[in-house]
């Protein structure tokens, strides 16, 4: 099963909602350094535990493309989105997203579509 790691700029409620759906999910607040956990540390955790990093931070795209870290990446390209809308978007798409990570290592999700990057 796909495991996830939710970055600090996303709400903890996202991780909790995903757990309720049966996914293995950590939020940065679950880590020893909490939201102060560096991107480099998140990349290491992602690689060590084979977790998909969920983020809005484009720095992870650069790191993924140049260094192969994190393990896998879900980039949210939704722009400003309220938490309720974000949770609704995930609830509607999480099964398909998890399935995409069986084949792809980098997926982008916006308000209207999912884009699998080669």
């Amino acid at each position: 099963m796909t495991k996830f790691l939710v970055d600090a700029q996303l709400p903890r409620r996202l991780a909790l909602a995903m757990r309720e759906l049966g996914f293995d999910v950590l939020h940065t607040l679950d880590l020893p350094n909490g939201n102060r956990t560096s991107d480099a540390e998140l990349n290491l955790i992602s690689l060590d535990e084979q977790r998909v990093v969920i983020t809005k931070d484009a720095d992870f795209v650069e790191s993924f493309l140049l260094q192969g870290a994190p393990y896998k990446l879900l980039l949210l390209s939704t722009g400003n989105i309220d938490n309720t809308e974000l949770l609704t978007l995930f609830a509607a798409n999480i099964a398909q997203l998890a399935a995409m990570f069986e084949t792809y290592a980098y997926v982008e999700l916006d308000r209207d579509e999912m884009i699998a990057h080669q």
Side-chain angles (χ1 to χ4, degrees):
M1 174 179 274
T2 305
K3 299 186 292 186
F4 296 92
L5 176 57
V6 179
D7 198 9
Q9 78 275 39
L10 295 168
R12 187 177 214 167
R13 286 177 36 204
L14 175 59
L16 298 174
M18 291 174 68
R19 281 185 200 139
E20 288 178 12
L21 294 171
F23 290 94
D24 181 339
V25 184
L26 293 176
H27 189 278
T28 52
L29 289 171
D30 299 321
L31 303 174
N33 291 328
N35 283 343
R36 293 184 312 268
T37 305
S38 70
D39 289 356
E41 289 176 274
L42 293 178
N43 281 338
L44 288 175
I45 292 166
S46 172
L47 290 167
D48 288 345
E49 299 182 14
Q50 296 187 331
R51 291 185 180 275
V52 176
V53 170
I54 303 174
T55 187
K56 288 181 147 188
D57 185 350
D59 289 345
F60 278 102
V61 175
E62 184 175 322
S63 171
F64 178 80
L65 295 174
L66 296 177
Q67 300 169 12
Y71 166 68
K72 293 186 178 182
L73 180 64
L74 174 55
L75 179 68
L76 300 181
S77 301
T78 57
N80 290 335
I81 187 171
D82 69 42
N83 288 346
T84 301
E85 189 176 353
L86 177 66
L87 295 174
T88 300
L89 182 65
F90 261 81
N93 292 289
I94 190 61
Q96 185 177 355
L97 284 167
M100 290 179 83
F101 282 110
E102 297 298 319
T103 304
Y104 300 100
Y106 170 27
V107 177
E108 190 172 348
L109 176 65
D110 66 24
R111 294 172 192 250
D112 302 312
E113 64 183 335
M114 285 175 267
I115 304 159
H117 297 275
Q118 294 291 341

PDB file of all heavy atoms in Angstrom, residues 11-34:
ATOM      1  N   PRO A  11      -2.609  21.132   5.887  1.00  0.00           N
ATOM      2  CA  PRO A  11      -3.212  20.934   7.207  1.00  0.00           C
ATOM      3  C   PRO A  11      -3.079  19.497   7.716  1.00  0.00           C
ATOM      4  O   PRO A  11      -3.134  18.536   6.938  1.00  0.00           O
ATOM      5  CB  PRO A  11      -4.678  21.290   6.974  1.00  0.00           C
ATOM      6  CG  PRO A  11      -4.912  21.025   5.527  1.00  0.00           C
ATOM      7  CD  PRO A  11      -3.610  21.353   4.842  1.00  0.00           C
ATOM      8  N   ARG A  12      -2.906  19.381   9.016  1.00  0.00           N
ATOM      9  CA  ARG A  12      -2.872  18.060   9.647  1.00  0.00           C
ATOM     10  C   ARG A  12      -4.167  17.302   9.383  1.00  0.00           C
ATOM     11  O   ARG A  12      -4.182  16.076   9.317  1.00  0.00           O
ATOM     12  CB  ARG A  12      -2.627  18.205  11.143  1.00  0.00           C
ATOM     13  CG  ARG A  12      -2.404  16.881  11.826  1.00  0.00           C
ATOM     14  CD  ARG A  12      -2.102  17.038  13.277  1.00  0.00           C
ATOM     15  NE  ARG A  12      -1.166  15.992  13.670  1.00  0.00           N
ATOM     16  CZ  ARG A  12      -0.525  15.994  14.804  1.00  0.00           C
ATOM     17  NH1 ARG A  12      -0.662  16.981  15.648  1.00  0.00           N
ATOM     18  NH2 ARG A  12       0.285  15.009  15.099  1.00  0.00           N
ATOM     19  N   ARG A  13      -5.253  18.038   9.222  1.00  0.00           N
ATOM     20  CA  ARG A  13      -6.551  17.410   8.935  1.00  0.00           C
ATOM     21  C   ARG A  13      -6.495  16.551   7.680  1.00  0.00           C
ATOM     22  O   ARG A  13      -7.220  15.559   7.566  1.00  0.00           O
ATOM     23  CB  ARG A  13      -7.640  18.473   8.778  1.00  0.00           C
ATOM     24  CG  ARG A  13      -8.071  19.092  10.093  1.00  0.00           C
ATOM     25  CD  ARG A  13      -9.105  20.190   9.957  1.00  0.00           C
ATOM     26  NE  ARG A  13     -10.089  19.976   8.912  1.00  0.00           N
ATOM     27  CZ  ARG A  13     -10.772  20.947   8.326  1.00  0.00           C
ATOM     28  NH1 ARG A  13     -10.570  22.202   8.670  1.00  0.00           N
ATOM     29  NH2 ARG A  13     -11.659  20.681   7.399  1.00  0.00           N
ATOM     30  N   LEU A  14      -5.636  16.908   6.730  1.00  0.00           N
ATOM     31  CA  LEU A  14      -5.487  16.104   5.526  1.00  0.00           C
ATOM     32  C   LEU A  14      -4.939  14.723   5.880  1.00  0.00           C
ATOM     33  O   LEU A  14      -5.458  13.700   5.431  1.00  0.00           O
ATOM     34  CB  LEU A  14      -4.579  16.801   4.510  1.00  0.00           C
ATOM     35  CG  LEU A  14      -4.249  16.013   3.245  1.00  0.00           C
ATOM     36  CD1 LEU A  14      -5.515  15.655   2.485  1.00  0.00           C
ATOM     37  CD2 LEU A  14      -3.295  16.810   2.368  1.00  0.00           C
ATOM     38  N   ALA A  15      -3.892  14.695   6.693  1.00  0.00           N
ATOM     39  CA  ALA A  15      -3.316  13.406   7.117  1.00  0.00           C
ATOM     40  C   ALA A  15      -4.343  12.595   7.904  1.00  0.00           C
ATOM     41  O   ALA A  15      -4.478  11.385   7.695  1.00  0.00           O
ATOM     42  CB  ALA A  15      -2.060  13.645   7.951  1.00  0.00           C
ATOM     43  N   LEU A  16      -5.071  13.236   8.783  1.00  0.00           N
ATOM     44  CA  LEU A  16      -6.083  12.528   9.576  1.00  0.00           C
ATOM     45  C   LEU A  16      -7.182  11.951   8.695  1.00  0.00           C
ATOM     46  O   LEU A  16      -7.607  10.804   8.888  1.00  0.00           O
ATOM     47  CB  LEU A  16      -6.667  13.468  10.640  1.00  0.00           C
ATOM     48  CG  LEU A  16      -5.674  13.993  11.682  1.00  0.00           C
ATOM     49  CD1 LEU A  16      -6.353  15.020  12.588  1.00  0.00           C
ATOM     50  CD2 LEU A  16      -5.073  12.858  12.485  1.00  0.00           C
ATOM     51  N   ALA A  17      -7.628  12.724   7.714  1.00  0.00           N
ATOM     52  CA  ALA A  17      -8.674  12.245   6.805  1.00  0.00           C
ATOM     53  C   ALA A  17      -8.169  11.062   5.981  1.00  0.00           C
ATOM     54  O   ALA A  17      -8.909  10.090   5.756  1.00  0.00           O
ATOM     55  CB  ALA A  17      -9.134  13.377   5.891  1.00  0.00           C
ATOM     56  N   MET A  18      -6.920  11.117   5.543  1.00  0.00           N
ATOM     57  CA  MET A  18      -6.355  10.017   4.771  1.00  0.00           C
ATOM     58  C   MET A  18      -6.211   8.772   5.640  1.00  0.00           C
ATOM     59  O   MET A  18      -6.443   7.654   5.171  1.00  0.00           O
ATOM     60  CB  MET A  18      -5.015  10.434   4.168  1.00  0.00           C
ATOM     61  CG  MET A  18      -5.153  11.499   3.069  1.00  0.00           C
ATOM     62  SD  MET A  18      -3.558  12.103   2.478  1.00  0.00           S
ATOM     63  CE  MET A  18      -2.945  10.636   1.647  1.00  0.00           C
ATOM     64  N   ARG A  19      -5.851   8.946   6.897  1.00  0.00           N
ATOM     65  CA  ARG A  19      -5.768   7.798   7.823  1.00  0.00           C
ATOM     66  C   ARG A  19      -7.130   7.143   7.988  1.00  0.00           C
ATOM     67  O   ARG A  19      -7.233   5.921   8.033  1.00  0.00           O
ATOM     68  CB  ARG A  19      -5.245   8.247   9.187  1.00  0.00           C
ATOM     69  CG  ARG A  19      -3.771   8.433   9.231  1.00  0.00           C
ATOM     70  CD  ARG A  19      -3.290   8.749  10.640  1.00  0.00           C
ATOM     71  NE  ARG A  19      -1.985   9.363  10.553  1.00  0.00           N
ATOM     72  CZ  ARG A  19      -1.581  10.390  11.289  1.00  0.00           C
ATOM     73  NH1 ARG A  19      -2.371  10.917  12.199  1.00  0.00           N
ATOM     74  NH2 ARG A  19      -0.377  10.885  11.136  1.00  0.00           N
ATOM     75  N   GLU A  20      -8.159   7.963   8.092  1.00  0.00           N
ATOM     76  CA  GLU A  20      -9.522   7.426   8.229  1.00  0.00           C
ATOM     77  C   GLU A  20      -9.918   6.582   7.021  1.00  0.00           C
ATOM     78  O   GLU A  20     -10.743   5.676   7.137  1.00  0.00           O
ATOM     79  CB  GLU A  20     -10.525   8.553   8.445  1.00  0.00           C
ATOM     80  CG  GLU A  20     -10.442   9.177   9.814  1.00  0.00           C
ATOM     81  CD  GLU A  20     -11.425  10.328  10.002  1.00  0.00           C
ATOM     82  OE1 GLU A  20     -12.326  10.511   9.151  1.00  0.00           O
ATOM     83  OE2 GLU A  20     -11.280  11.041  11.006  1.00  0.00           O
ATOM     84  N   LEU A  21      -9.309   6.878   5.872  1.00  0.00           N
ATOM     85  CA  LEU A  21      -9.576   6.103   4.653  1.00  0.00           C
ATOM     86  C   LEU A  21      -8.666   4.874   4.557  1.00  0.00           C
ATOM     87  O   LEU A  21      -8.723   4.133   3.576  1.00  0.00           O
ATOM     88  CB  LEU A  21      -9.400   6.990   3.419  1.00  0.00           C
ATOM     89  CG  LEU A  21     -10.418   8.122   3.282  1.00  0.00           C
ATOM     90  CD1 LEU A  21     -10.026   9.063   2.153  1.00  0.00           C
ATOM     91  CD2 LEU A  21     -11.821   7.560   3.063  1.00  0.00           C
ATOM     92  N   GLY A  22      -7.830   4.669   5.565  1.00  0.00           N
ATOM     93  CA  GLY A  22      -7.011   3.466   5.625  1.00  0.00           C
ATOM     94  C   GLY A  22      -5.581   3.615   5.144  1.00  0.00           C
ATOM     95  O   GLY A  22      -4.859   2.617   5.053  1.00  0.00           O
ATOM     96  N   PHE A  23      -5.137   4.833   4.864  1.00  0.00           N
ATOM     97  CA  PHE A  23      -3.781   5.037   4.374  1.00  0.00           C
ATOM     98  C   PHE A  23      -2.800   5.249   5.522  1.00  0.00           C
ATOM     99  O   PHE A  23      -3.162   5.770   6.577  1.00  0.00           O
ATOM    100  CB  PHE A  23      -3.730   6.234   3.414  1.00  0.00           C
ATOM    101  CG  PHE A  23      -4.425   5.947   2.114  1.00  0.00           C
ATOM    102  CD1 PHE A  23      -5.747   6.294   1.936  1.00  0.00           C
ATOM    103  CD2 PHE A  23      -3.759   5.305   1.086  1.00  0.00           C
ATOM    104  CE1 PHE A  23      -6.407   6.011   0.754  1.00  0.00           C
ATOM    105  CE2 PHE A  23      -4.404   5.015  -0.106  1.00  0.00           C
ATOM    106  CZ  PHE A  23      -5.728   5.373  -0.272  1.00  0.00           C
ATOM    107  N   ASP A  24      -1.561   4.857   5.304  1.00  0.00           N
ATOM    108  CA  ASP A  24      -0.460   5.069   6.231  1.00  0.00           C
ATOM    109  C   ASP A  24       0.090   6.460   5.916  1.00  0.00           C
ATOM    110  O   ASP A  24       0.721   6.660   4.875  1.00  0.00           O
ATOM    111  CB  ASP A  24       0.595   3.988   6.014  1.00  0.00           C
ATOM    112  CG  ASP A  24       1.791   4.111   6.957  1.00  0.00           C
ATOM    113  OD1 ASP A  24       2.029   5.196   7.511  1.00  0.00           O
ATOM    114  OD2 ASP A  24       2.508   3.105   7.106  1.00  0.00           O
ATOM    115  N   VAL A  25      -0.177   7.411   6.805  1.00  0.00           N
ATOM    116  CA  VAL A  25       0.150   8.818   6.547  1.00  0.00           C
ATOM    117  C   VAL A  25       0.815   9.445   7.766  1.00  0.00           C
ATOM    118  O   VAL A  25       0.341   9.279   8.889  1.00  0.00           O
ATOM    119  CB  VAL A  25      -1.120   9.640   6.215  1.00  0.00           C
ATOM    120  CG1 VAL A  25      -0.747  11.070   5.848  1.00  0.00           C
ATOM    121  CG2 VAL A  25      -1.934   8.994   5.125  1.00  0.00           C
ATOM    122  N   LEU A  26       1.891  10.167   7.522  1.00  0.00           N
ATOM    123  CA  LEU A  26       2.512  11.004   8.542  1.00  0.00           C
ATOM    124  C   LEU A  26       2.376  12.461   8.109  1.00  0.00           C
ATOM    125  O   LEU A  26       2.450  12.762   6.926  1.00  0.00           O
ATOM    126  CB  LEU A  26       4.000  10.695   8.680  1.00  0.00           C
ATOM    127  CG  LEU A  26       4.404   9.337   9.222  1.00  0.00           C
ATOM    128  CD1 LEU A  26       5.925   9.201   9.186  1.00  0.00           C
ATOM    129  CD2 LEU A  26       3.889   9.156  10.638  1.00  0.00           C
ATOM    130  N   HIS A  27       2.194  13.331   9.074  1.00  0.00           N
ATOM    131  CA  HIS A  27       2.270  14.774   8.851  1.00  0.00           C
ATOM    132  C   HIS A  27       3.550  15.236   9.530  1.00  0.00           C
ATOM    133  O   HIS A  27       4.020  14.593  10.487  1.00  0.00           O
ATOM    134  CB  HIS A  27       1.044  15.478   9.461  1.00  0.00           C
ATOM    135  CG  HIS A  27       0.954  16.924   9.097  1.00  0.00           C
ATOM    136  ND1 HIS A  27       1.664  17.900   9.760  1.00  0.00           N
ATOM    137  CD2 HIS A  27       0.251  17.552   8.127  1.00  0.00           C
ATOM    138  CE1 HIS A  27       1.394  19.082   9.215  1.00  0.00           C
ATOM    139  NE2 HIS A  27       0.540  18.891   8.226  1.00  0.00           N
ATOM    140  N   THR A  28       4.118  16.322   9.068  1.00  0.00           N
ATOM    141  CA  THR A  28       5.341  16.817   9.706  1.00  0.00           C
ATOM    142  C   THR A  28       5.145  17.011  11.210  1.00  0.00           C
ATOM    143  O   THR A  28       6.090  16.842  11.973  1.00  0.00           O
ATOM    144  CB  THR A  28       5.826  18.132   9.070  1.00  0.00           C
ATOM    145  OG1 THR A  28       4.749  19.065   9.050  1.00  0.00           O
ATOM    146  CG2 THR A  28       6.354  17.903   7.664  1.00  0.00           C
ATOM    147  N   LEU A  29       3.938  17.328  11.644  1.00  0.00           N
ATOM    148  CA  LEU A  29       3.687  17.498  13.082  1.00  0.00           C
ATOM    149  C   LEU A  29       3.857  16.192  13.851  1.00  0.00           C
ATOM    150  O   LEU A  29       3.998  16.208  15.073  1.00  0.00           O
ATOM    151  CB  LEU A  29       2.290  18.077  13.311  1.00  0.00           C
ATOM    152  CG  LEU A  29       2.119  19.545  12.918  1.00  0.00           C
ATOM    153  CD1 LEU A  29       0.656  19.952  12.989  1.00  0.00           C
ATOM    154  CD2 LEU A  29       2.977  20.447  13.787  1.00  0.00           C
ATOM    155  N   ASP A  30       3.844  15.055  13.154  1.00  0.00           N
ATOM    156  CA  ASP A  30       4.058  13.756  13.792  1.00  0.00           C
ATOM    157  C   ASP A  30       5.547  13.449  13.990  1.00  0.00           C
ATOM    158  O   ASP A  30       5.894  12.479  14.658  1.00  0.00           O
ATOM    159  CB  ASP A  30       3.455  12.630  12.934  1.00  0.00           C
ATOM    160  CG  ASP A  30       1.957  12.783  12.744  1.00  0.00           C
ATOM    161  OD1 ASP A  30       1.271  13.171  13.707  1.00  0.00           O
ATOM    162  OD2 ASP A  30       1.481  12.512  11.616  1.00  0.00           O
ATOM    163  N   LEU A  31       6.416  14.253  13.408  1.00  0.00           N
ATOM    164  CA  LEU A  31       7.857  14.025  13.461  1.00  0.00           C
ATOM    165  C   LEU A  31       8.475  14.753  14.650  1.00  0.00           C
ATOM    166  O   LEU A  31       7.895  15.730  15.154  1.00  0.00           O
ATOM    167  CB  LEU A  31       8.499  14.502  12.154  1.00  0.00           C
ATOM    168  CG  LEU A  31       7.939  13.849  10.882  1.00  0.00           C
ATOM    169  CD1 LEU A  31       8.537  14.512   9.642  1.00  0.00           C
ATOM    170  CD2 LEU A  31       8.192  12.351  10.888  1.00  0.00           C
ATOM    171  N   PRO A  32       9.654  14.320  15.109  1.00  0.00           N
ATOM    172  CA  PRO A  32      10.278  14.942  16.287  1.00  0.00           C
ATOM    173  C   PRO A  32      10.454  16.459  16.176  1.00  0.00           C
ATOM    174  O   PRO A  32      10.268  17.179  17.157  1.00  0.00           O
ATOM    175  CB  PRO A  32      11.637  14.239  16.403  1.00  0.00           C
ATOM    176  CG  PRO A  32      11.410  12.904  15.769  1.00  0.00           C
ATOM    177  CD  PRO A  32      10.423  13.164  14.650  1.00  0.00           C
ATOM    178  N   ASN A  33      10.818  16.963  14.998  1.00  0.00           N
ATOM    179  CA  ASN A  33      11.008  18.406  14.821  1.00  0.00           C
ATOM    180  C   ASN A  33       9.754  19.114  14.328  1.00  0.00           C
ATOM    181  O   ASN A  33       9.801  20.311  14.015  1.00  0.00           O
ATOM    182  CB  ASN A  33      12.171  18.683  13.872  1.00  0.00           C
ATOM    183  CG  ASN A  33      13.503  18.309  14.489  1.00  0.00           C
ATOM    184  OD1 ASN A  33      13.687  18.408  15.703  1.00  0.00           O
ATOM    185  ND2 ASN A  33      14.429  17.859  13.668  1.00  0.00           N
ATOM    186  N   GLY A  34       8.657  18.393  14.221  1.00  0.00           N
ATOM    187  CA  GLY A  34       7.390  18.993  13.816  1.00  0.00           C
ATOM    188  C   GLY A  34       7.501  19.733  12.499  1.00  0.00           C
ATOM    189  O   GLY A  34       8.171  19.285  11.570  1.00  0.00           O
TER     190      GLY A  34
END
